[in-house]
Amino acid sequence: MTVPPTDVRPDPGPGTGPDPDSDSDQIFRLQEEVRQLKEAVVSHAVVDQAIGAIIVLGGVTPDEGWIVLKEVSQHTNIKLRNVAETVLIWGRTGVMPQEILTALEDRLGRPVCGVAGLSAPPPGSPRVSGRNSR
C-alpha cells in the first residue's frame, strides 16, 4: 500500500478551482470594512472633541459631558455624531440651531451662549440631569 505524500493535496477535479468571484467579493467586503472603521475613528474623534467643549462650557466631568451629549442627541432625535459636529461648529462660528442649544442648556441647567457660557456654574446649581458631579 502506498501512502500519498502529506504536502500534496488531492486534485479536487475539473471546475472546482479557485473562484475568482469569491476573491473579489472578499476584497469588496474588506474594503467596505476598512471604510467603516475609518469613519468610526473620525466619528469618535468628533464626539470626543464635542465632549471636551461641553466639559469647558458646563464645568462638568468627562463622564457628565458624555451624558449631556448623549441626552441632547436623544432629546432632539438627532444622531450623536451630528450633535457633536454641531457643537464643534458652534465653537468656531457661534451658531447653533435653537433646538440643540435649548436641549444643551436644559441638560447643563444653565445658559451656555455668550460670555456667561464660559464662566463656572454658580455653586449648588444643577449640572447634568440631576446627577451629582464627581
Side-chain angles (χ1 to χ4, degrees):
M1 174 173 190
T2 354
V3 177
T6 57
D7 62 337
V8 176
R9 294 185 183 171
D11 182 11
T16 58
D19 182 2
D21 288 335
S22 67
D23 287 346
S24 64
D25 288 346
Q26 184 177 10
I27 290 169
F28 175 77
R29 283 191 306 273
L30 291 171
Q31 287 173 333
E32 180 63 18
E33 184 177 343
V34 167
R35 185 194 64 74
Q36 289 175 357
L37 289 171
K38 285 180 178 179
E39 188 176 309
V41 167
V42 170
S43 180
H44 188 71
V46 168
V47 169
D48 283 349
Q49 291 170 29
I51 290 170
I54 292 170
I55 290 167
V56 170
L57 292 170
V60 297
T61 67
D63 287 343
E64 291 170 332
W66 161 249
I67 292 167
V68 167
L69 191 63
K70 185 176 68 166
E71 287 181 354
V72 168
S73 171
Q74 291 170 345
H75 180 75
T76 60
N77 201 28
I78 298 172
K79 288 184 178 185
L80 183 74
R81 178 189 167 128
N82 293 344
V83 171
E85 288 172 341
T86 301
V87 169
L88 297 180
I89 291 168
W90 175 52
R92 290 190 305 270
T93 66
V95 176
M96 179 182 289
Q98 188 61 46
E99 177 184 26
I100 295 176
L101 181 61
T102 300
L104 184 60
E105 290 177 337
D106 287 349
R107 295 316 169 279
L108 290 171
R110 64 194 202 88
V112 292
C113 56
V115 177
L118 297 177
S119 62
S125 67
R127 293 183 146 209
V128 180
S129 301
R131 291 181 170 253
N132 293 328
S133 66
R134 293 182 196 161

